[in-house]
Amino acid sequence: MSAAEPRGRPDGVEPPARDGAQDEVDRIVAAWQRERPDLQPMPLHVFSRVSRLARHLDLARRDAFTEHGVEPWEFDVLSALRRAGEPYELTPGRLIAETLVSSGTMTNRIDRMVAHGLVVRAGDSTDRRVVKVRLTPEGKARVDAAMSALLNSERELLAALDPGERAQLRDLLRTLLLPFEGA
């Protein structure tokens, strides 16, 4: 079979993995095939794995963040500010767009992060009506440490793939994600 040919059969029934290993998704799909042989379960092979992997990634991320005293929602805001570059500040509206939360949620998050010393509110030097949220040195130190821990953890998760497979996975996932992100 060439690399361009799809693996599996048109009916969605997948052959066993090359190494014969089975995961929980294989067992779930087999049960559905037994109970509903009329269904073509190919999407389950892919998206159930993506969903289960997302849950494992979420747990690994929480561990990396907790180790550095950062909640997952704090990491989202802190990392948006850190990526902005010096002076590590954004408007609340830009933070809302970056983190996909409501205005009320962002206000609550900023208030809590100000209380924890991770960010400060600062007026814009050119327009006093504009308020910006700026990363504090403590917030910068925590997000940097949490990001390093996160990347180390995620590198370990990808270790089973060779560099070519990692690049292929990256590209395939991007292809699936693009329609949702309007790119």
Side-chain angles (χ1 to χ4, degrees), residues 19-74:
D19 62 2
Q22 283 200 328
D23 62 8
E24 186 61 23
V25 173
D26 290 318
R27 289 182 276 284
I28 290 168
V29 170
W32 276 113
Q33 288 174 326
R34 182 187 68 241
E35 296 299 316
R36 291 284 313 272
D38 59 307
L39 296 177
Q40 294 184 4
M42 178 43 114
L44 286 177
H45 284 285
V46 175
F47 295 113
S48 292
R49 286 185 175 94
V50 169
S51 179
R52 294 175 71 80
L53 182 58
R55 180 65 182 137
H56 288 293
L57 289 171
D58 184 51
L59 293 171
R61 285 179 167 211
R62 286 181 182 276
D63 289 346
F65 300 155
T66 299
E67 180 182 336
H68 297 286
V70 177
E71 295 289 332
W73 61 266
E74 288 174 321

Side-chain angles (χ1 to χ4, degrees), residues 133-147:
V133 179
R134 182 178 302 145
L135 202 55
T136 64
E138 176 65 19
K140 183 177 179 280
R142 285 202 205 174
V143 73
D144 283 352
M147 184 56 139

Side-chain angles (χ1 to χ4, degrees), residues 116-149:
H116 294 146
L118 302 174
V119 300
V120 294
R121 286 185 174 91
D124 187 286
S125 60
T126 60
D127 186 346
R128 293 177 52 173
R129 296 170 296 173
V130 175
V131 173
K132 294 199 173 177
V133 179
R134 182 178 302 145
L135 202 55
T136 64
E138 176 65 19
K140 183 177 179 280
R142 285 202 205 174
V143 73
D144 283 352
M147 184 56 139
S148 293

Side-chain angles (χ1 to χ4, degrees), residues 93-127:
R94 187 65 217 152
L95 286 170
I96 289 167
E98 293 259 344
T99 60
L100 303 175
V101 298
S102 70
S103 174
T105 297
M106 184 54 67
T107 298
N108 183 321
R109 288 179 176 186
I110 293 168
D111 289 345
R112 291 171 66 187
M113 293 175 70
V114 166
H116 294 146
L118 302 174
V119 300
V120 294
R121 286 185 174 91
D124 187 286
S125 60
T126 60
D127 186 346

